[in-house]
Amino acid sequence: MSEISFDDFLKVDIRVGTVIDAQDFPEARRPALKLWVDFGPDIGTKKTSAQITKYYTPEKLIGRQVAGVVNFPKKQVGPFMSEFLCLGFPDGQDDKGIVLINPDQEVPNGSRLF
């Protein structure tokens, strides 16, 4: 992978927000959940679809802080419009479960990663 400048990194707007709603997404081709995340007063609530069903249920996600890229264009995922990219790491297993990124202490919604 090629090196990027710090200015390139700053173009990716990664923020933290709190999951305020989470629902199963049965219409998705692969198992997924729909998330609504509060990114604070400046950004507001955004929604996304995430293939995170190996480790997470809707009930486990409500109230949890997650990290997301909030300045990608919207993307149609089946009948659902995804407005941000929820960030996580693969678990290294063959089934490629995703482990979400979150701060180890609560921080204000909308805080930017730097």
Side-chain angles (χ1 to χ4, degrees):
M1 200 172 267
S2 62
E3 290 184 357
I4 64 170
S5 71
F6 187 71
D7 288 338
D8 290 333
F9 170 74
L10 289 176
K11 292 176 186 177
V12 182
D13 194 359
I14 301 172
R15 303 289 180 129
V16 68
T18 301
V19 178
I20 59 172
D21 193 10
Q23 300 174 12
D24 290 321
F25 190 8
E27 304 90 353
R29 278 186 262 157
R30 296 185 190 148
L33 299 175
K34 296 187 278 190
L35 307 177
W36 286 261
V37 176
D38 175 7
F39 285 103
D42 292 339
I43 297 170
T45 299
K46 289 185 173 267
K47 61 186 178 178
T48 195
S49 139
Q51 296 173 6
I52 56 173
T53 57
K54 179 176 179 180
Y55 295 112
Y56 307 99
T57 62
E59 299 78 26
K60 287 174 82 174
L61 289 166
I62 304 292
R64 179 189 178 103
Q65 287 195 305
V66 296
V69 177
V70 298
N71 66 333
F72 282 157
K74 294 178 183 179
K75 181 177 180 181
Q76 189 73 41
V77 180
F80 189 74
M81 183 62 72
S82 185
E83 300 173 333
F84 77 97
L85 175 66
C86 193
L87 298 175
F89 291 105
D91 66 2
Q93 307 288 323
D94 288 337
D95 60 1
K96 298 183 175 128
I98 300 296
V99 178
L100 293 174
I101 296 173
N102 66 298
D104 63 1
Q105 296 184 39
E106 191 168 321
V107 295
N109 287 339
S111 294
R112 184 169 183 168
L113 178 75
F114 63 92

